[in-house]
Amino acid sequence: AQKITQTQPGMFVQEKEAVTLDCTYDTSDPSYGLFWYKQPSSGEMIFLIYQGSYDQQNATEGRYSLNFQKARKSANLVISASQLGDSAMYFCAMIARNNNDMRFGAGTRLTVKP
Amino acid sequence: DAGVTQSPTHLIKTRGQQVTLRCSPKSGHDTVSWYQQALGQGPQFIFQYYEEEERQRGNFPDRFSGHQFPNYSSELNVNALLLGDSALYLCASSPLSGRAVGEQFFGPGTRLTVL
């Protein structure tokens, strides 16, 4: 069975500082993808970054980077130089190649302070 | 290039009624998935449609049914609504062969309130 765990219900960060949002996962499938989505109060899920299980390097997309530690089954999101507009819910998700349903964690609410 | 669109944006129904939600996938995408997101929780997978057939289903009762049309758009139907069906319903589309395993693009959602 696949499972995603986000243990931080809420996080605060000062504007312009970096913040790490934690995510651990569990799957028996050797081929899988890990995703991070941002969900502002409007409700739309905005894709941020993707990491494949066979990717050798950690994924980066602008100010977002994914700290992928396969042996520890963790896929933490790092946001550098936080901006006020980064305040939102952040969800970690996983989908395995042999399964078509994307599993989401419970989410972390990030608040950026001016 | 239009992204994933959903209609309606908001909907209010009473217990026992039936509802239909609609989704148009992103251009070039042929697979549509539906998710239910209760307040304060992560999205839960309802089912996925590909080639007009239900490809996989999550842990939802038969009151939840769907359909995919030849143009890849999709509908989610919920019968005999319960108060617990109140949630944000998200539609996501993906190409059969994409850069990422199951990379999905989400629509803005339909917020359903059951009174």
Side-chain angles (χ1 to χ4, degrees):
Chain A
Q2 301 171 88
K3 187 178 180 181
I4 292 280
T5 303
Q6 293 179 257
T7 58
Q8 305 157 315
M11 288 284 286
F12 291 88
V13 64
Q14 207 67 35
E15 192 179 9
K16 299 182 184 178
E17 292 186 348
V19 63
T20 297
L21 306 184
D22 294 341
C23 173
T24 58
Y25 62 93
D26 190 25
T27 180
S28 57
D29 197 316
S31 180
Y32 51 88
L34 296 158
F35 303 80
W36 277 92
Y37 287 89
K38 172 184 178 181
Q39 188 177 44
S41 56
S42 61
E44 185 169 359
M45 299 288 277
I46 302 169
F47 167 78
L48 297 178
I49 197 167
Y50 163 82
Q51 179 84 43
S53 59
Y54 293 118
D55 292 345
Q56 296 297 313
Q57 293 187 326
N58 286 344
T60 60
E61 294 280 356
R63 294 187 299 112
Y64 305 107
S65 61
L66 200 151
N67 184 3
F68 181 46
Q69 298 186 47
K70 194 171 182 177
R72 299 178 64 180
K73 294 190 175 181
S74 73
N76 299 338
L77 176 70
V78 180
I79 305 175
S80 62
S82 295
Q83 302 172 356
L84 295 178
D86 293 336
S87 293
M89 283 291 290
Y90 287 80
F91 289 96
C92 179
M94 175 179 68
I95 192 163
R97 183 168 289 280
N98 294 324
N99 199 319
N100 294 310
D101 72 271
M102 180 174 275
R103 299 293 178 95
F104 286 81
T108 296
R109 179 170 297 282
L110 177 66
T111 302
V112 180
K113 296 182 175 180
Chain B
D1 178 26
V4 180
T5 60
Q6 291 186 244
S7 63
T9 306
H10 293 86
L11 204 52
I12 299 175
K13 292 285 188 179
T14 57
R15 281 178 296 175
Q17 284 189 313
Q18 178 264 342
V19 68
T20 297
L21 311 181
R22 295 176 177 82
C23 171
S24 291
K26 183 177 169 66
S27 178
H29 288 187
D30 52 14
T31 302
V32 174
S33 302
W34 286 92
Y35 294 82
Q36 179 196 66
Q37 186 179 17
L39 196 62
Q41 298 181 21
Q44 300 289 319
F45 176 76
I46 303 175
F47 42 53
Q48 184 181 83
Y49 275 84
Y50 171 66
E51 290 188 343
E52 303 179 49
E53 291 190 359
E54 185 182 289
R55 191 173 168 195
Q56 185 161 341
R57 188 181 184 89
N59 188 25
F60 279 80
D62 292 345
R63 296 187 298 109
F64 290 78
S65 63
H67 188 76
Q68 186 178 35
F69 299 93
N71 66 353
Y72 308 122
S73 66
S74 177
E75 288 182 350
L76 164 65
N77 300 292
V78 187
N79 294 322
L81 285 167
L82 304 173
L83 295 178
D85 295 332
S86 295
L88 179 68
Y89 288 85
L90 294 164
C91 169
S93 73
S94 56
L96 180 60
S97 59
R99 177 181 72 90
V101 173
E103 182 176 1
Q104 301 191 11
F105 293 81
F106 284 82
T110 294
R111 191 165 297 280
L112 172 65
T113 302
V114 182
L115 302 177

